[in-house]
Amino acid sequence: MSEKVNWSYLVHAASGPQIAAAAVIEVDAYDKFDVTIATGVTQTVDLVPSTGSVKLLVLNPDAPDPKLSYAVDGKDIPLDAPHVLLGAGAVSLLGKMTALTFKNATQSDIALQIIVGRDATP
């Protein structure tokens, strides 16, 4: 049986246009992680088993900072704001990831919430 994950967003420029959307993504399973990335540390977080495909990924740091990052194909991606990837197409920008490696070059530990929605079979 599939799980339904509701999502929505609203982007509104002051005195300007706005864009809003909402929908449901169906996944076989989802996981929520609460991790703390200690200052000065590189830490790998296992997100999914080696089989299956990710359809939803949310990385939500309590204190977004360009000095907090994760690596994709050898490139550090700053977590200077929450990262929300909706749909298999968006998540595919990260390649065939099953884990993410975070680096915290800030002056304090940072709590990070992660939600992953996935299909259980390839």
Side-chain angles (χ1 to χ4, degrees):
M1 182 163 96
S2 66
E3 300 284 343
K4 295 181 187 218
V5 179
N6 298 312
W7 62 265
S8 64
Y9 70 84
L10 169 65
V11 177
H12 184 190
S15 301
Q18 71 179 26
I19 300 172
V24 174
I25 292 180
E26 290 194 23
V27 297
D28 292 335
Y30 62 86
D31 297 293
K32 181 180 183 290
F33 303 87
D34 289 303
V35 297
T36 298
I37 312 299
T39 186
V41 168
T42 298
Q43 180 176 335
T44 299
V45 177
D46 293 323
L47 299 175
V48 295
S50 60
T51 60
S53 59
V54 177
K55 295 172 70 175
L56 166 75
L57 178 65
V58 178
L59 304 174
N60 187 35
D62 282 355
D65 192 301
K67 293 181 180 179
L68 174 66
S69 62
Y70 60 98
V72 174
D73 293 331
K75 180 180 179 186
D76 287 342
I77 309 297
L79 259 171
D80 54 353
H83 289 194
V84 180
L85 300 174
L86 302 169
V91 175
S92 73
L93 295 170
L94 301 179
K96 294 277 187 186
M97 63 90 191
T98 58
L100 288 175
T101 300
F102 295 90
K103 181 173 23 174
N104 183 355
T106 71
Q107 297 299 313
S108 60
D109 297 351
I110 296 182
L112 176 64
Q113 297 174 17
I114 302 170
I115 295 180
V116 178
R118 60 187 171 83
D119 286 339
T121 57

